[in-house]
Amino acid sequence: MKTVYKKPESMTSATTIYCPGCHHGIAHRLVAEVIDELGIADRTIGIAPVGCAALAYDYFNVDFSEAAHGRAPAVATGLKLTQPDKIVFTYQGDGDLASIGAAEILHLANRGFNITTIFINNAIYGMTGGQMAPTSLEGQKTATTPFGRDLKIHGNPMKVSEILTQTAGAAYIARGAVYDPKHVMETKKMVKKAFQNQMDGKGFSMVEILSTCPTNWGLSPLDAVEWLKDNMEPFYPLGVKKDIDQDQ
Amino acid sequence: MKTVYKKPESMTSATTIYCPGCHHGIAHRLVAEVIDELGIADRTIGIAPVGCAALAYDYFNVDFSEAAHGRAPAVATGLKLTQPDKIVFTYQGDGDLASIGAAEILHLANRGFNITTIFINNAIYGMTGGQMAPTSLEGQKTATTPFGRDLKIHGNPMKVSEILTQTAGAAYIARGAVYDPKHVMETKKMVKKAFQNQMDGKGFSMVEILSTCPTNWGLSPLDAVEWLKDNMEPFYPLGVKKDIDQDQ
Amino acid sequence: MEHKIILAGFGGQGIMVMGRLLAYAAMHEGKNVSWIPSYGVEQRGGTANCSVVISDEIIAAPIVAEPAYSIIMNRPSLDKFEPKMAPKGVILVNTSIVDRDVERKDLDVVNLACNDEALELGDIRYANMIALGAFCKKTGIIKLETLKKSLKNVLSARRQNLVEINQKALEKGYQLV
Amino acid sequence: MEHKIILAGFGGQGIMVMGRLLAYAAMHEGKNVSWIPSYGVEQRGGTANCSVVISDEIIAAPIVAEPAYSIIMNRPSLDKFEPKMAPKGVILVNTSIVDRDVERKDLDVVNLACNDEALELGDIRYANMIALGAFCKKTGIIKLETLKKSLKNVLSARRQNLVEINQKALEKGYQLV
Amino acid sequence: MGEKFLMKGNEALGEAAIIAGCEAYFGYPITPQNELTAYMSKRMLEEGRVFVQSESELAAVNMVFGAAGAGKRTMTSSSSPGVSLKQEGISYLAGARLPAVIVNVMRGGPGLGNISPAQGDYYQATRGGGNGDYRLIVFAPNSVQEMADDVIDAFYLADKYRMPSMVMADGMLGQMMEPVVFKEPKGNKGLPPKDWALTGAKGRPRNIVRSLMLGGTGLYEHNEVLRKIYAEVEANEIRYEELETADADVTLVAYGSASRACIGAVRHLRAAGKKVGLIRPRLVWPYPYKVLEKQAEKSKKFLVVEMNLGQMLDDVRIGVAGKAPVEFYGYAGGWIPTVKEVVDRVNQMF
Amino acid sequence: MGEKFLMKGNEALGEAAIIAGCEAYFGYPITPQNELTAYMSKRMLEEGRVFVQSESELAAVNMVFGAAGAGKRTMTSSSSPGVSLKQEGISYLAGARLPAVIVNVMRGGPGLGNISPAQGDYYQATRGGGNGDYRLIVFAPNSVQEMADDVIDAFYLADKYRMPSMVMADGMLGQMMEPVVFKEPKGNKGLPPKDWALTGAKGRPRNIVRSLMLGGTGLYEHNEVLRKIYAEVEANEIRYEELETADADVTLVAYGSASRACIGAVRHLRAAGKKVGLIRPRLVWPYPYKVLEKQAEKSKKFLVVEMNLGQMLDDVRIGVAGKAPVEFYGYAGGWIPTVKEVVDRVNQMF
Amino acid sequence: MPKGKVVIDKEKCKGCELCIATCPKKVLGLSEDFNTKGYRYSTPLHPEECIGCGFCAMMCPDVAIEVYRED
Amino acid sequence: MPKGKVVIDKEKCKGCELCIATCPKKVLGLSEDFNTKGYRYSTPLHPEECIGCGFCAMMCPDVAIEVYRED
Ligand SMILES: Cc1ncc(C[n+]2csc(CCOP(=O)(O)OP(=O)(O)O)c2C)c(N)n1
Ligand SMILES: Cc1ncc(C[n+]2csc(CCOP(=O)(O)OP(=O)(O)O)c2C)c(N)n1
Ligand code: SF4
Ligand code: SF4
Ligand code: SF4
Ligand code: SF4
Ligand code: SF4
Ligand code: SF4
Ligand SMILES: [Mg+2]
Ligand SMILES: [Mg+2]
């Protein structure tokens, strides 16, 4: 029998600390599959965020650095500029990337340094127990919006990908999801493109992945998928937002 | 004889520390004129940046706070939310707002808090002696781009106003200049609108003002105006970039 | 007197509420008391546990390293805490879920099929109160009445209607030992 | 011996270069030397000045608070530094621009119309070298030759063609005292 | 006496702030202080006051700068790495002489470390991790009750001296529940008016809030003002507790969570006939140097117990001034001393 | 001996870094260290190395984290408020055991303060303004020559002990020109290989760079490793200079810019027959406590001179340990002691 | 229809049911018993129905699934 | 053409010439002498030509100019 699916080489056999059904695991897998397919495992350096994926280095079979909360783009800059032949990627949550690290990602994108970012948007702070993220939706109840996110009080949800399209240095910005096989396949293409771009020296590339946090949303993994489709996807439309290869 | 022009009441009689011909002075004047015209001097609180305008409080006859470099939006948030009836504005340079303070301005704009920002884009760090700003142009020689800004090495110039239009909370984003009377008049209208919006509770409003830094550009004040027109204005086109009143 | 207690089980078993109830009751009886959860990454999927200390004096160490008492609601918790128990400690084990016996011979073991007993009351969610009721009787650290009275303090406003059924569970557990 | 010198004037008058030249020359003569500009916001539009200390020993205080020597190239600098001069200090004043006399009686004053003399060489930009040449003669702190030789160290690569004319200015200033 | 509540330390901090009249809270989530931010997100809105979950700790402390500049009682809280990020802002608060309360619920370090209780930020809190010469009034509670009491006092003293104050707790105190009774705050009794606040210049000359003092001797003089205020605080506000120190041969010195095991140890060792006492600074700045100096005249030995590698140790050495040997017992990264450990360690000293 | 240059301190720092093999520099402008960033912006490109003007000090120190993680010699520089912003990052560097050099050209504080020379960040540098228990090797040069020498040593010792080091200068040293001769660096002689670096896992198991140690006793053990390393540094790397201390009745203690006036004062006072000496720590961490302890056996009095309100004062008190009175002379916010001032102050002690 | 085979590592499974919901052939279901981490795990209830499409593996966040198909 | 009057505070002026360049009537020019701050300052060389348009004042970064016009 031929093998249809097996654990990618670039993943370790460690069991993740992620909650049941958490999309972090799927996103990890896609990244690992892409690293395998591109044959770059021995020259890839990943950067783990502060967030549920803080221990990402336990799950990837490649060199990894930690980064202070939000500063993965800066750490990536230090790693990449000193070793331009290496493939450097950051893996960041919405608190990490969109909140505390907003300046760093904006400047990385605007500079256009040749780095890849995987951005996990689960509309919440998973690691710290479910507080509002910049991407939390109107009305969403979280640990810090106990009465629901009120736009007057808590401000508006942030569309990071749309904002970053306005930067000169972004080569590729896309938003995917992983809630069914079709989207898993589409999103994997995006991830691959984002890595391929770096190999081709095209500049900053980012894939935002709409993800569930069943635990902090207070939903079962399957209900969480439905909530994502009903609430997140309409507000954060999927698709390629910028692609210098297409735009030219 | 009737008075055509006199120092606005909201300005003190102190002589500024600004270099001859520096556009900071004109921008100050416009803000003071608007404060006078709206009759809000006794309930306005300004926030000075870290930059050449760090001593702005010496020149305005209204309550003023200092802010750490880049953090004026945060200081403004603290002042405004605790006193919603006051008119709070930040006055920030391109180093302050676009570089170190990128996260704060992005989040203020996205939240849409009811605050006004005057953003002086002179494509350089004036105060510290002429280093590259995020807004410095391709090829521009500065203290930290001695061979000219090389996009591959130093990254791309940042179009802050265009980026901020993508935030949900920005009510009004406009870019003006003050290099001749016509533009002074136009820009004053923008500034007035940005303050009026706050009085009307419409949300975050910002006016970017393209400005000269004759000293650090190494040009006479008049040559600096020409440089601005020839180089900055084409890259940073003037006009209203977003206006919820128009867009609706 | 100082009583050092560990309560442990899976996340959804109401371990924290059980601990808080014990702590409240002790406070209502005029004791010094402390409650502290073990917090951290290990919580996810692993065991949840909390320390409760009840004392007549100032509590020197709220985190219990060597419990004299414990309520063990699942197997991983038994594996983790059995070796840590103080000599001759009292250990209450939820045999509905725990599939092995306590190995240490010095311990004073109470075996109770909490889930099954709870199911009789209509829902396995009351297993924690069954356990606590039994623990109360066995140890005498706290009065059953105080536990019952304190229930309103630990149930959220929305759940006040469950006071009565939880009181029943406490009583049932009390009777079972 | 330790010589504490202040050089002061407007921003565009080549004050810093004058100071650096003096410092270089002193270094070339094997002395300990320090040069430090006054920096800060006050520089804009105000006076620019620098301290030079030349010494046989380690220099204890590079910032000169009480200069024994000064070259004063404009009026605000005179106002600022005249009161600070050490008793009986040597003060060289650029009378082309400074429109008042030195008031202190104890000071050893050298009045020199540096700008006018420089203009004779073709450009008022050489006023600083005129002043320094004169200062050299008057004080004997440094040799004219060393100053002349050190010029190449302070002029940027693009300005090396100006070495000669600046040397002339130094000489001219030297002659004038 | 009010009602007795069983509360988490983090929540008690929040409720005490509400009682103390905190008008604006700015925070960013971080373990182990999350319950405080969550608590404020609910209670402040219920009270019609200001709550903002800021984009970062930097933003939070600078929002505090704004609210404090408006003359409001304001607070921010975080845990170790987050407090590191606030250092510039705290230095600004001190420089601009703005009263505000900062809470640090310390965790293991350095760097990201872990989320276990620790006392590794003692230096940062007492010596100013930010730039320049400034101080914070630093409370070191060792129980949920003290956390509540200290927040109330922290607001008051901040206003009294026009300077920021800090409540330095740790993950154990933040996470644990204990009974707490909230005391009546003093309100504004005896406090100077905030006539420097930025409230709009209606009917008065404009006010300026700043730490920048360019040119001339402005900053020098400003620092002399700070020096005077700090000397005043040191003269007025020393707070500590002594336990069995009168005849102690060995004196323990500890604060916060570490001091609880020490209290247990003293009890235990006294019961065993050993002459052991404890000095427990309630404020770690200003520091009770004189108390230690006096104790050093009678006590033969000192043992500092900290959940770090030895930080208050410096202060004890300064206080004891060579009059007796000072030993240290401490580990970092999640160690919480047990009574038994302290007892064993002290027994080595006899 | 190489050529003698007349150079600004800031530029000498830069050239020395180039000579020391600094492969990546990340900085953000701030007075009075701007010449260093400017110098690197030119020279690093000329050398084909990495220069980035980062968006902030935070970004700079985290870029350093990246470059250090890659096993490269790397440096960042700033002045006081900017260094405050780096505290979290520095704590991370220490936690992850990454070698790197941080330069602080100190200015007046607290807050924005001013741009005059000052020594107000001594506490921050020597005790860690960031969270947790960590140390930096802290150089305190007092001349342009020493600035150059120290940068070279700072890179070497950082690599040797796998920890960050700091060169702590001030606005006067940064802005002044003095003659400087660049010494030959030791290169990598005697240094451990950087087999932990992130260079891609080709032909070896993957490497991980981190300070996070969750669960179990990982962080506790990590801190014990740090404790051991720090003890080693304290045993090996004490550096100080003594001037006329052998028979000194009054011993001055000073570092950096403040020490220059003290050298002048010692000379002056000795000429006047007064027995005065100076101890000048060249590294302020590790600190020469034992040197002070020994000196306290012969010297009657100590005077600490600092351009702050008294920070190293703590260390001198700890070192002297009560054996002699320790007095303090210092002001903050732009004060630079003159020889005359120090002489006058010392004369009060006789 | 091709014939497939699905292999699930029960110890890696966290019982999230994402695979179960996605299987077009309803091959998978939750076990009655628990794995050592305390989860009911996914298991092929109707292995004969499996077409080896790999969808289940694609959805598994814990890489607990291997899929094979007849060539 | 209306008649205007321009008044320049010579001590506030920094001699940047922005007003001079903007004046439609070429009224203004730099002085020969310096003010106390050392700047050559702007001064009405042809005051009679002034139409009181206020452009000069609008361009002055130092608020050194007042303009009046006949009603
Ligand atoms: C400086 C700092 N601030 C705050 C934290 C606490 N913290 C850890 S993870 C996190 C947010 C995680 O949310 P996100 O980035 O969305 O990742 P997720 O867990 O949702 O994947 C925060 C605030 C920290 N470790 N450091
Ligand atoms: C934290 C911090 N970093 C850096 C500085 C130094 N600094 C002062 S002003 C400035 C930049 C000013 O540039 P910009 O904001 O463009 O204002 P401009 O002077 O051009 O008006 C910098 C970097 C500082 N004071 N604080
Ligand atoms: S908390 Fe949320 S984001 Fe984190 S592992 Fe659990 S489900 Fe995933
Ligand atoms: S340096 Fe530039 S921005 Fe600053 S005052 Fe001078 S001209 Fe204006
Ligand atoms: S491979 Fe396809 S058919 Fe087989 S179990 Fe998985 S999803 Fe079902
Ligand atoms: S998707 Fe994976 S973890 Fe989830 S139930 Fe299926 S096999 Fe188990
Ligand atoms: S008012 Fe108009 S015409 Fe008169 S001087 Fe000014 S610009 Fe010229
Ligand atoms: S614009 Fe103002 S400052 Fe400039 S020359 Fe005219 S009057 Fe003077
Ligand atoms: Mg998230
Ligand atoms: Mg600028």
Side-chain angles (χ1 to χ4, degrees), chain A residues 2 4-5 16 18 21 25 29 181, chain G residues 14 16 57-58 60-61 67 69:
Chain A
K2 98 166 199 244
V4 178
Y5 195 84
T16 69
Y18 304 126
R29 230 188 48 223
Chain G
K14 293 177 185 158
C16 70
M58 253 182 234
C60 180
V67 178
R69 191 167 51 206

Side-chain angles (χ1 to χ4, degrees), chain A residues 5-11 26-44 60 62 87 89 116 118 184-199 207 209:
Chain A
Y5 195 84
K6 253 194 125 149
K7 179 181 78 64
E9 295 281 323
S10 299
M11 288 199 97
I26 306 181
H28 279 27
R29 230 188 48 223
L30 295 191
V31 170
E33 288 173 20
V34 164
I35 291 172
D36 278 6
E37 289 170 22
L38 296 173
I40 52 174
D42 63 1
R43 60 185 180 108
T44 293
F60 285 99
V62 303
I87 303 300
F89 76 95
T116 304
I118 306 298
V184 166
M185 282 184 275
E186 277 175 20
T187 302
K188 182 169 162 188
K189 273 194 206 123
M190 293 170 174
V191 172
K192 194 158 186 177
K193 168 90 179 158
F195 275 87
Q196 186 68 52
N197 272 1
Q198 185 177 163
M199 295 170 73
V207 180
I209 302 180

Side-chain angles (χ1 to χ4, degrees), chain B residues 93-95 120 122-126:
Chain B
D94 42 7
I120 305 300
N122 57 11
I124 207 145
Y125 285 24

Side-chain angles (χ1 to χ4, degrees), chain A residues 16 18 20-26 29, chain G residues 16 18 57 59-64:
Chain A
T16 69
Y18 304 126
C22 173
H23 281 181
H24 268 302
I26 306 181
R29 230 188 48 223
Chain G
C16 70
L18 294 187
M59 288 310 298
C60 180
D62 288 280
V63 208

Side-chain angles (χ1 to χ4, degrees), chain C residues 2 20 23-24 27 30-37 39-41 55 57-63 65, chain E residues 4-6 8 31-32 115-117 171-172 175-179 260-261 263-264 267 336-339:
Chain C
E2 189 164 278
R20 283 215 296 278
Y24 258 105
M27 179 177 92
K31 300 279 168 57
N32 285 310
V33 61
S34 69
W35 170 96
I36 189 165
Y39 59 100
V41 172
S55 178
E57 296 172 85
I58 294 165
I59 292 161
I63 298 177
Chain E
K4 204 183 238 185
F5 298 94
L6 189 70
K8 269 203 171 192
T31 311
I115 54 178
S116 298
M172 183 171 101
Q175 292 299 321
M176 75 195 278
M177 281 183 134
E178 283 187 321
R260 294 180 70 129
I263 292 170
R267 236 155 41 194
I336 306 160
T338 62
V339 173

Side-chain angles (χ1 to χ4, degrees), chain B residues 89-122:
Chain B
F89 75 96
T90 75
Y91 181 104
Q92 305 180 254
D94 42 7
D96 195 72
L97 181 143
S99 193
I100 192 170
E104 285 75 13
I105 196 68
L106 183 65
H107 277 271
L108 173 56
N110 202 70
R111 286 194 187 102
F113 284 165
N114 202 24
I115 287 166
T116 304
T117 289
I118 307 299
F119 166 36
I120 305 300
N121 178 0
N122 57 11

Side-chain angles (χ1 to χ4, degrees), chain B residues 20-21 221, chain H residues 8-10 12-20 28-30 40-43 56-57 59-65:
Chain H
I8 299 182
D9 179 342
K10 83 174 203 192
K12 287 214 108 187
C13 176
K14 293 176 185 157
C16 71
E17 306 186 54
L18 294 187
C19 57
I20 297 171
L28 307 171
L30 275 195
R40 294 173 65 195
Y41 50 91
S42 174
T43 192
C56 53
M59 290 308 300
C60 179
D62 287 280
V63 206
I65 306 183

